[in-house]
Amino acid sequence: MTKQHKTHLLIGGNLGDRKSNLESARRLIGQRIGTLVKSSSLYETQPWGKPDQPDFLNQALEVATDLKPEEVLKAVLTIEKELGRQREDKWSARTIDIDILFYDAKVLNNKDLTLPHPHLHERNFALVPMLEIAPNKQHPVFKKSIEELYEASKDDLEVVMLDDVEPEETKK
C-alpha cells in the first residue's frame, strides 16, 4: 500500500469568474492529485508584487495524496494550463495559480520545485488561509508554526474573508 502524503496547496486567480475558476481547480485537484481533507474560506486579496491589476481570490487546501512532489507539480501545471493559465510576466494577472506550499515536512530545492514554497513566510495572502486550516503546521526550514510566521510577517496587504455573511477583515 502506498503511503499517503499531506500536501498544502494555495489556489488563486484574478481574471474571469474567479470563484468558478477556484471551484474547477478544487474539482480537478480532487480528481488528479488526491483527497481534499480541508479547505479554507475564500479570501479576497490585493495583488502582491505587481499592484496594478485586479484583486485575487485565494484559498488554501490540504490534500492527501499518493503522488510524489514532482508528480504533484506536474498535475498542478496541467490543471493551470487546462483552466486557461497564461504564463507571461512574473506576478501578472491570471485565471488560476496553484502553488505547492508544503509536502509533508519535505525540504527540496531543485530547478523545478522548491519546498516549502520559498515566499510563503512573506505573503499574508498565503499565510491567512493557512492559518485557518493548519495554524500549528511547522515550517521545516524556519522551525516556526504558520501562526508564528504570520505574526512575524511584514506584509501589510489586505486579506478579506469572503465566506462569512458579513466578510471579516483580517489585517496585520
Side-chain angles (χ1 to χ4, degrees):
M1 188 166 116
T2 309
K3 179 183 187 291
Q4 285 276 289
H5 298 276
K6 187 186 294 184
T7 187
H8 288 89
L9 306 175
L10 184 74
I11 61 175
N14 67 343
L15 293 179
D17 184 339
R18 299 175 306 166
K19 231 176 190 171
S20 176
N21 292 339
L22 294 190
E23 287 168 11
S24 296
R26 276 193 312 275
R27 180 178 44 78
L28 292 171
I29 287 166
Q31 290 171 359
R32 299 183 189 168
I33 296 175
T35 305
L36 268 74
V37 178
K38 290 182 187 172
S39 301
S40 75
S41 301
L42 294 179
Y43 291 87
E44 188 161 54
T45 62
Q46 296 173 294
W48 192 93
K50 193 174 179 186
D52 60 337
Q53 59 182 310
D55 286 349
F56 279 78
L57 275 191
N58 286 298
Q59 184 177 41
L61 308 174
E62 181 180 305
V63 181
T65 185
D66 295 333
L67 301 180
K68 294 179 176 129
E70 296 79 7
E71 294 170 324
V72 173
L73 177 62
K74 185 177 179 187
V76 157
L77 293 174
T78 300
I79 292 168
E80 285 181 343
K81 190 171 183 177
E82 285 178 22
L83 294 179
R85 170 80 189 260
Q86 307 269 326
R87 290 194 178 269
E88 293 162 5
D89 325 333
K90 194 172 194 173
W91 302 318
S92 62
R94 62 204 72 164
T95 53
I96 195 70
D97 185 33
I98 306 171
D99 288 333
I100 304 170
L101 302 179
F102 293 104
Y103 182 95
D104 292 333
K106 189 165 189 65
V107 177
L108 178 70
N109 192 352
N110 65 40
K111 68 178 180 66
D112 297 320
L113 181 60
T114 301
L115 293 171
H117 190 286
H119 300 292
L120 167 67
H121 63 289
E122 302 169 329
R123 299 174 173 176
N124 286 349
F125 69 83
L127 290 169
V128 171
M130 279 297 292
L131 200 53
E132 183 181 340
I133 65 169
N136 299 315
K137 169 81 178 153
Q138 288 292 307
H139 192 290
V141 174
F142 298 126
K143 309 293 187 213
K144 292 184 176 182
S145 69
I146 294 296
E147 189 167 16
E148 290 169 317
L149 292 174
Y150 175 69
E151 291 300 322
S153 173
K154 293 177 179 20
D155 182 0
D156 62 357
L157 294 179
E158 193 171 42
V159 179
V160 179
M161 184 188 288
L162 292 187
D163 280 355
D164 289 345
V165 178
E166 295 180 349
E168 280 179 36
E169 282 194 21
T170 308
K171 290 177 94 172
K172 292 277 307 167

